[in-house]
Amino acid sequence: MISVPRWLLLVLAALFSTYHVILGVYSLAVPASPWPAVVALACYAFATVLSLWPSSRARMPDWLAAFDLAVSIALPLLATSQLDAAGDNGYATWYVAAVGTLMTIAAARRQLVVAWLGVIALAVQTMVWAGPLALGSLGVIGSVVWVAIAHALTSALANSARETRRYAQAEREAAAWQAAQDAYLFEGRMRLAHTNRVAAPMLRRIIDRDGVLSESQREECRRLEAAIRDEIRGRMLLTDAVRVEVQRARERGMTVTLLDEGGIDDLDEVARDRVLSQLAEAIAGSNADRIIARTAAEGSAAAVTVVGLRTSAVPGDDGDDAEVELWLEIPRLPESEAEAAMPAAEIESAED
């Protein structure tokens, strides 16, 4: 892509505008009175300086566009008020090219409506002052063509910028999708490797014994299957400490279920380590028959909810009556930060 420095365009536009001012000064002897032309030159110079002044905004402010339009309407009226429409005015018609240049600058700075209104006003004033044939002889048609070219280029550049942003957004989304797929693939390979590392010794033992296992070996297989299920369903709930405590709890006869539903994916590493350390401590200190650890929904104050159930057979009942032995909600934030984030009214109600 070929790019042109913005300062170079500004310098070229300034030189072109200065040329019109020089022509106007050179032809001050042609009008009956030079003062309206002097006022027109001053207005044109001031409007050009404001329009070309370096700014971070590509689009011209509305107030400046309105001022340029007023100047483009005033220039022909001031200049032609002292000129003879039937005579040869020479360079005294500098205002035609000046209006075209000023409106081209407005079109380049995305004020297309103002640019077209300016050259249309110039064309109407010229026809009223000198007739339709003067549109060609005075160069009004050339000013209209300049604005039309600026309009086409501005529209083309705007469309190109939109397409560029669209393609860039699509590229970012594609890169994010590819990164997510690579992460899923890497995670799948890691979990497959871990599963193979954990299950391979037991599978070889089963093959060596032709599937004939003792009761203790069958129990070990059940614990191994549960550990593999944890890798699939537990996901972010698993750390080395949690794995060790879950294994110990199952060896004590507990049933442990870990369910990660994505509620702690947004936690940073420090916060996740704190939450999972409390989870490991809760599992280690529980005497329940069954423990269920589940991530809380997004937006909840709790990160993980741990429920421990103790089953006690009641005489005369057909089933078992489960009692809650453990109920723990591990917060997302430490207690000090959670209290700081809590409104004062909620803190008072909590204390009450």
Side-chain angles (χ1 to χ4, degrees):
M1 182 179 63
I2 301 176
S3 60
V4 180
R6 185 180 180 186
W7 65 267
L8 180 59
L9 296 177
L10 294 177
V11 169
L12 291 176
L15 291 176
F16 204 64
S17 300
T18 304
Y19 173 70
H20 300 318
V21 175
I22 294 174
L23 289 181
V25 173
Y26 176 77
S27 61
L28 284 179
V30 176
S33 173
W35 296 114
V38 171
V39 174
L41 286 170
C43 292
Y44 172 67
F46 184 65
T48 302
V49 170
L50 290 180
S51 300
L52 295 178
W53 193 264
S55 174
S56 58
R57 293 179 55 186
R59 178 180 172 84
M60 178 183 292
D62 293 339
W63 66 267
L64 180 55
F67 178 73
D68 286 351
L69 178 60
V71 170
S72 68
I73 295 174
L75 287 185
L77 298 177
L78 290 171
T80 58
S81 65
Q82 303 299 318
L83 296 177
D84 183 7
D88 183 11
N89 295 301
Y91 293 129
T93 58
W94 61 269
Y95 66 90
V96 175
V99 171
T101 301
L102 188 59
M103 292 298 97
T104 300
I105 295 173
R109 295 194 61 183
R110 302 177 185 178
Q111 289 286 356
L112 301 177
V113 174
V114 168
W116 281 111
L117 289 177
V119 292
I120 289 173
L122 173 64
V124 171
Q125 191 276 339
T126 302
M127 287 190 295
V128 172
W129 178 63
L133 295 179
L135 294 177
S137 60
L138 296 182
V140 177
I141 296 177
S143 296
V144 174
V145 171
W146 291 351
V147 172
I149 294 174
H151 187 167
L153 290 177
T154 301
S155 299
L157 291 175
N159 292 334
S160 177
R162 283 194 297 269
E163 292 297 327
T164 300
R165 289 193 296 269
R166 188 178 305 165
Y167 288 142
Q169 179 64 24
E171 183 179 0
R172 287 193 294 269
E173 292 177 356
W177 179 85
Q178 184 63 43
Q181 295 302 314
D182 292 343
Y184 292 148
L185 181 60
F186 177 76
E187 183 180 3
R189 288 177 177 175
M190 292 293 294
R191 293 188 183 278
L192 183 61
H194 178 77
T195 301
N196 181 63
R197 186 171 59 253
V198 172
M202 179 57 68
L203 294 176
R204 284 194 292 267
R205 192 181 308 170
I206 293 174
I207 294 173
D208 294 339
R209 294 178 176 273
D210 294 331
V212 180
L213 302 177
S214 64
E215 186 60 32
S216 61
Q217 291 172 335
R218 291 178 181 275
E219 184 62 29
E220 184 179 354
C221 286
R222 295 189 186 96
R223 290 196 296 268
L224 181 60
E225 179 188 7
I228 295 175
R229 288 181 182 274
D230 291 341
E231 297 295 331
I232 298 174
R233 299 186 300 183
R235 294 194 323 116
M236 303 298 292
L237 286 174
L238 293 173
T239 60
D240 292 339
V242 172
R243 288 189 181 96
V244 169
E245 296 302 333
V246 168
Q247 181 68 18
R248 290 176 179 174
R250 285 170 177 157
E251 291 175 354
R252 296 196 301 268
M254 295 183 184
T255 300
V256 182
T257 303
L258 301 178
L259 298 173
D260 179 13
E261 299 175 347
I264 60 174
D265 290 350
D266 59 334
L267 295 181
D268 56 33
E269 186 175 355
V270 175
R272 190 181 299 119
D273 289 342
R274 175 186 56 81
V275 170
L276 298 184
S277 296
Q278 296 184 38
L279 173 61
E281 293 174 0
I283 295 175
S286 176
N287 295 319
D289 297 324
R290 182 181 181 186
I291 294 179
I292 302 173
R294 182 192 298 268
T295 58
E298 293 187 18
S300 174
V304 178
T305 301
V306 185
V307 179
L309 302 176
R310 178 179 296 170
T311 305
S312 58
V314 179
D317 288 352
D318 294 334
D320 295 333
D321 185 18
E323 297 178 353
V324 177
E325 188 271 341
L326 171 65
W327 177 273
L328 175 64
E329 290 185 341
I330 303 176
R332 290 177 174 271
L333 300 175
E335 293 184 359
S336 58
E337 296 183 12
E339 291 180 358
M342 185 183 300
E346 294 186 9
I347 295 177
E348 294 178 358
S349 61
E351 292 176 353
D352 293 340

